[in-house]
Amino acid sequence: MTTIKYPLNRPFDVGAGFDEPSDTYFFASSVASYDSDAHQGQMQWQRYLRKPRLSFNQIDYPFAASGGWEFPDEYADQPVTDFQLAFLSDRTVRLRVKTRPVSSRKASNEPSLMLEEGAADHRHQWESRREGDSAVVYESRFGSITVGFNPWKITLRNSQGDILTETRHLSDSKSLLNSNQLPFAFRRSSADMGNQLAASFSLQPGEMLFGTGESFTRLNKRGQRIDLFTTDALSAQTPRMYKPIPFYLSSQGYGLFVHSTAPMTFDLGAAYDDTQTLYTGEEELDLFLFIGEPKDVLSEYTNLTGKSPLPPLWSFGLWMSRITYSSEEEVREVAEKLRANSIPSDVIHLDTGWFDKDWRCNYEFSSERFDDPARMIADLKEQGLRVSLWQLPYFTPTNPLYGELLEKGYAVWTGEGNLPTDDAILDFSNPDAEQWYKGKIAGLLKLGVGAIKVDFGEAAPLNGAYASGRNGYAEHNLYPLRYNRAVADITREVNGEAIIWARSAWAGSQRYPIHWGGDAENTDSAMAASLRGGLSLGLSGFTFWSHDIGGFVESSPEALYRRWLPFGMLTSHSRCHGAPPTEPWAYGEDFTAYFRRVTELKYSLMPYIYTQAKLSADNGHPLLRALFFEFPSDPGAWLVEDQYMFGTDLLIAPIFEEKTGRSVYLPPGEWIDFQTGARWTGGSWQRIEAGGIPIILLVRAGSVIPQLEPALSTAFLDWDHVAFHAYTGSDGSNQEPLRCYLFEPSQQKLYAVEVQGSAVTVKDSETGQVDSTKLGWTALTV
């Protein structure tokens, strides 16, 4: 790939070079040979150049067919390369395309960190039939894929035979300018003879696209051009992403995943409205296509890349933090005030100030400001409070560990043997460096620390030479995944729990929860953008997500904090963090009482939240869900980006302005206001005033919401006395039992619960056997 000069760690447009008139372009043309039983063959590419054309005082650069111009004439005029299909399930197809007759030096047998071990090796039989000499069709019960021969074309259909999407050929262009609608192609750079793919597929007129990671721009990505390059976004209101994911799903009933770690740019109808072009930045394409509704597609995608394990119960409680607590006295004071004010909480997080020098990470508590860290951690745990610690894998020149990393060769170097930046950046592709790092983290965990904040990780240098033998172009986006895995593995090894608190991510990072939304501004717009980012990440395979309640950059205005708080509590994980003050008592007694009330709301809903977390994790689904995820047949649900479903049965509409209510879109069905008891008919927009807590919280009629009396910590919740609140329809009829699940934490067991009137029937969800031991579980009809 041609080296492009940009400011350090700046995202860039991978597809920008496709406008270059000095390069050579090759368009997918026809099938040279094909073995339908082996699902593989060879395709021929047709050579084109961009030529300047004058038209009434305007210069454009359309494509023109070109013959070879190389010397000697042994070089292929119209290259012939391999392509193949593989069927992983009855919904998942893998398409691989090469641009050279020989494979790249990437070890084909090297396990991909992005994929679950063995997941891509699964094989499923699709029925095949040949359509004369023009095509081969492969069918499953959910759809089909057609390999067209002349022109070469891959067409994906659903089970009704409707075209979901298909590759673009030059002949598909109906524009006066034939470079409008770039066909499926690769370009050969005149700068370095590198090949770069552009995989172009069709878009339908009303099609909408969702995903691509934690993207803060509009939820529907149709019409956007998105650079997938991990970066420190320093904001929640720009196109830059801490967590880009090369996956998205379509309202047409399919999804696409590019299996690569290289920087990419997805043009999703931005350059040309009816075409989506995936600029992969590599010479070979490895693309997975999924057929189905959003739930089907995400389950298939996470079968491939991994599902989020269920984090421990305590992690779902309140995380109290700011930047930063800097002494044992300060930490103990915060814990004391949380308990004195009867505020439920489970974690106190220490950010950048627990070292001898703020931000200088050496994995050691300051001996001057922390008398006995182990004792402090043990004392807090007796109060139901865990400790979380900040750290990062970059080491400044004054850091006492800097010299050790250089001496042992644990840092990233350049090919010339220099450091790529002033910092020593830990090379996680070096097994020895990873073990050294894990040793440092293990020491903290053995003190009793509950979780490690996996901050940064977005700036692996492009000009680095890594121990893996690969350059920064391949390792940059992979760095967060290596980083997430290292901390998660050692935490599981020492503590036996699946929990980190990470900012950066790549495809596969969902296997190592939890991730939070970075440095949001303290504004209404950043609050709304944070929700879009969380929903987009959830639609990219991540079950769990959090953000800094109230915003990070400055001290949050009380009015904003008041509205942001219930939104933050009604997400999977809840952390108050940012510039001080974040502690409620700093805002006065009235706000402290309000803060307690909102936090108690989450703790009372913990049986519902924890159960929905378990079910979501098992299926690879997000806990925070765009409305269409639960209501894919409702056209209106696809248009809403400022509301969400919290699991299957709660609809949440945060209030993003200083108002007492808002317009809320209600999907079909009947909805009951959790705070006021008011009932609403769905399939329409309604103006709804908030109850005592400034958020709209609605329950789907016919659902059962298990609840508990709140406690000061999840460790003190009384799971022997769960109350099942049955929300019946407006006619009051309850002829059939209402049903729900409950995942009980001490036994880690899933129960199926039936509620009819005041009667509760509890069954083992696997065996169906009635469990008569849950005598304290009661029912209440709402």
Side-chain angles (χ1 to χ4, degrees):
M1 178 63 195
T2 303
T3 300
I4 305 174
K5 299 297 184 184
Y6 292 97
L8 192 64
N9 207 48
R10 182 75 58 84
F12 57 90
D13 189 334
V14 177
F18 276 79
D19 292 329
E20 177 55 57
S22 65
D23 290 345
T24 307
Y25 299 86
F26 297 88
F27 298 163
S29 176
S30 59
V31 172
S33 63
Y34 190 70
D35 183 334
S36 57
D37 294 328
H39 323 130
Q40 62 186 24
Q42 291 189 311
M43 74 158 78
Q44 188 163 64
W45 303 82
Q46 190 171 0
R47 177 189 297 248
Y48 283 81
L49 296 175
R50 281 188 178 271
K51 292 188 175 180
R53 183 181 67 179
L54 174 64
S55 174
F56 291 105
N57 309 308
Q58 178 171 307
I59 295 289
D60 289 298
Y61 288 84
F63 292 112
S66 171
W69 194 247
E70 289 85 3
F71 179 83
D73 59 5
E74 297 177 13
Y75 300 105
D77 223 14
Q78 316 291 340
V80 175
T81 64
D82 296 337
F83 75 98
Q84 64 180 123
L85 297 175
F87 303 98
L88 277 64
S89 75
D90 49 11
R91 293 187 185 274
T92 301
V93 183
R94 187 180 196 176
L95 170 65
R96 307 181 85 168
V97 177
K98 297 180 180 178
T99 64
R100 295 186 189 272
V102 295
S103 296
S104 69
R105 289 187 60 193
K106 289 190 299 184
S108 58
N109 295 324
E110 180 185 3
S112 168
L113 295 182
M114 301 168 68
L115 307 181
E116 280 277 51
E117 185 176 355
D121 299 330
H122 296 163
R123 291 296 178 266
H124 195 86
Q125 187 66 40
W126 287 33
E127 296 295 325
S128 66
R129 71 174 189 274
R130 202 170 183 101
E131 295 187 341
D133 296 328
S134 63
V136 172
V137 180
Y138 300 94
E139 291 181 313
S140 79
R141 61 193 174 114
F142 295 116
S144 68
I145 191 164
T146 302
V147 181
F149 293 165
N150 191 13
W152 179 85
K153 187 177 283 287
I154 302 294
T155 303
L156 191 69
R157 291 182 170 87
N158 62 20
S159 58
Q160 289 76 46
D162 303 320
I163 293 178
L164 302 177
T165 190
E166 60 184 353
T167 56
R168 284 302 195 193
H169 183 263
L170 184 63
S171 62
D172 294 321
S173 176
K174 308 305 178 186
S175 174
L176 289 172
L177 187 64
N178 71 357
S179 56
N180 285 337
Q181 188 193 88
L182 183 70
F184 197 107
F186 74 89
R187 76 177 179 99
R188 179 173 296 162
S189 169
S190 58
D192 61 7
M193 286 294 289
N195 292 348
Q196 181 189 356
L197 258 160
S200 291
F201 290 84
S202 63
L203 286 170
Q204 300 299 326
E207 186 170 353
M208 293 171 279
L209 305 171
F210 301 88
T212 73
E214 188 191 49
S215 172
F216 301 115
T217 58
R218 305 266 60 95
L219 188 64
N220 177 9
K221 304 308 173 191
R222 174 72 179 267
Q224 299 184 39
R225 190 173 176 105
I226 300 169
D227 298 325
L228 289 103
F229 182 89
T230 59
T231 192
D232 184 350
L234 300 168
S235 172
Q237 297 185 85
T238 77
R240 298 184 184 184
M241 286 187 279
Y242 304 100
K243 309 172 194 56
I245 306 295
F247 164 85
Y248 59 93
L249 57 84
S250 167
S251 60
Q252 287 293 109
Y254 69 93
L256 297 174
F257 166 53
V258 179
H259 178 217
S260 170
T261 62
M264 304 177 214
T265 293
F266 287 177
D267 186 306
L268 305 180
Y272 197 73
D273 182 62
D274 77 354
T275 299
Q276 51 187 319
T277 300
L278 315 180
Y279 297 98
T280 65
E282 288 194 315
E283 296 196 341
E284 298 181 8
L285 175 69
D286 190 2
L287 178 69
F288 292 86
L289 301 99
F290 312 96
I291 299 173
E293 298 284 8
K295 286 186 177 181
D296 304 319
V297 169
L298 266 193
S299 290
E300 290 290 308
Y301 168 70
T302 53
N303 285 343
L304 181 68
T305 59
K307 301 184 189 299
S308 300
L310 180 66
L313 175 65
W314 59 262
S315 72
F316 291 85
L318 170 65
W319 296 51
M320 195 68 240
S321 175
R322 73 180 189 206
I323 186 167
T324 177
Y325 302 133
S326 301
S327 69
E328 182 172 335
E329 179 183 7
E330 200 170 21
V331 172
R332 288 184 179 274
E333 180 185 2
V334 170
E336 180 183 349
K337 288 187 175 180
L338 285 168
R339 294 302 177 241
N341 286 286
S342 300
I343 294 174
S345 49
D346 273 76
V347 182
I348 294 180
H349 171 71
L350 282 66
D351 217 60
T352 62
W354 56 280
F355 319 108
D356 281 330
K357 182 176 175 56
D358 197 13
W359 290 93
R360 187 190 289 169
C361 173
N362 63 356
Y363 308 103
E364 295 180 3
F365 280 91
S366 169
S367 59
E368 294 182 359
R369 288 178 278 110
F370 291 86
D371 296 332
D372 189 343
R375 179 60 184 270
M376 177 191 75
I377 293 168
D379 289 348
L380 291 174
K381 194 167 184 180
E382 287 184 6
Q383 301 176 50
L385 292 165
R386 260 71 170 191
V387 166
S388 165
L389 294 179
W390 177 94
Q391 54 79 66
L392 84 171
Y394 310 154
F395 301 86
T396 57
T398 59
N399 191 307
L401 298 174
Y402 181 86
E404 182 180 354
L405 261 72
L406 300 188
E407 179 182 345
K408 293 181 176 178
Y410 292 166
V412 177
W413 299 87
T414 67
E416 294 76 25
N418 303 315
L419 286 179
T421 71
D422 287 344
D423 285 355
I425 300 171
L426 191 70
D427 185 353
F428 282 104
S429 77
N430 181 337
D432 293 334
E434 183 180 357
Q435 286 305 118
W436 174 89
Y437 173 76
K438 285 181 174 180
K440 299 293 185 184
I441 299 298
L444 299 171
L445 297 170
K446 289 173 182 177
L447 281 177
V449 170
I452 299 297
K453 181 174 174 178
V454 184
D455 206 0
F456 291 88
E458 305 94 351
L462 282 178
N463 61 333
Y466 293 77
S468 63
R470 307 199 306 173
N471 64 15
Y473 206 78
E475 287 287 346
H476 173 85
N477 283 332
L478 192 58
Y479 193 92
L481 180 55
R482 294 188 186 276
Y483 181 23
N484 295 169
R485 182 184 66 167
V487 181
D489 283 354
I490 194 61
T491 302
R492 188 179 292 108
E493 180 182 324
V494 176
N495 287 353
E497 293 181 327
I499 177 76
I500 63 174
W501 191 274
R503 189 175 76 177
S504 57
W506 188 246
S509 286
Q510 71 271 10
R511 301 193 299 265
Y512 313 112
I514 305 155
H515 293 80
W516 102 98
D519 300 336
E521 296 85 344
N522 312 86
T523 64
D524 293 342
S525 293
M527 180 181 169
S530 292
L531 174 56
R532 293 196 299 270
L535 294 178
S536 289
L537 190 67
L539 293 169
S540 304
F542 287 70
T543 297
F544 305 106
W545 172 82
S546 186
H547 59 282
D548 292 343
I549 297 173
F552 170 82
V553 180
E554 300 175 351
S555 59
S556 182
E558 181 178 339
L560 175 65
Y561 203 174
R562 186 175 289 267
R563 285 184 286 106
W564 201 319
L565 183 65
F567 163 45
M569 289 299 167
L570 296 172
T571 47
S572 76
H573 289 79
S574 306
R575 185 179 75 159
C576 297
H577 178 71
T582 58
E583 300 79 19
W585 47 86
Y587 290 85
E589 291 184 7
D590 178 69
F591 187 83
T592 300
Y594 167 76
F595 192 100
R596 180 191 312 115
R597 181 182 176 189
V598 177
T599 308
E600 286 179 342
L601 171 64
K602 179 166 193 179
Y603 278 70
S604 69
L605 288 170
M606 200 60 72
Y608 173 82
I609 294 170
Y610 193 55
T611 300
Q612 290 288 322
K614 167 64 175 173
L615 298 173
S616 298
D618 286 350
N619 289 289
H621 296 165
L623 188 51
L624 265 70
R625 305 173 175 186
L627 296 191
F628 69 76
F629 197 78
E630 281 298 317
F631 302 94
S633 299
D634 176 24
W638 290 86
L639 304 176
V640 179
E641 65 177 15
D642 62 354
Q643 303 171 206
Y644 60 96
M645 295 297 296
F646 194 28
T648 56
D649 298 316
L650 295 182
L651 187 154
I652 314 293
I655 297 178
F656 297 106
E657 300 177 76
E658 204 53 43
K659 296 181 178 179
T660 59
R662 55 164 288 179
S663 293
V664 180
Y665 179 74
L666 303 179
E670 186 177 3
W671 297 89
I672 304 168
D673 193 307
F674 184 90
Q675 298 191 73
T676 68
R679 291 175 179 266
W680 307 88
T681 300
S684 63
W685 287 89
Q686 298 286 349
R687 172 74 188 185
I688 301 179
E689 292 295 311
I693 295 174
I695 197 166
I696 310 302
L697 171 55
L698 306 178
V699 184
R700 194 195 314 220
S703 60
V704 177
I705 308 297
Q707 298 179 52
L708 282 173
E709 284 297 315
L712 290 181
S713 166
T714 57
F716 307 144
L717 290 170
D718 182 4
W719 290 82
D720 290 332
H721 293 86
V722 180
F724 293 88
H725 294 242
Y727 288 79
T728 60
S730 59
D731 58 4
S733 63
N734 192 16
Q735 299 300 317
E736 296 294 328
L738 300 184
R739 295 176 174 84
C740 72
Y741 288 100
L742 189 127
F743 189 65
E744 203 278 332
S746 63
Q747 299 180 40
Q748 292 286 287
K749 187 173 182 179
L750 186 66
Y751 293 96
V753 180
E754 295 181 355
V755 175
Q756 191 161 29
S758 61
V760 177
T761 304
V762 181
K763 298 179 181 180
D764 185 303
S765 64
E766 293 185 0
T767 67
Q769 294 295 313
V770 174
D771 188 322
S772 59
T773 66
K774 305 300 182 185
L775 301 178
W777 288 10
T778 60
L780 175 68
T781 300
V782 179

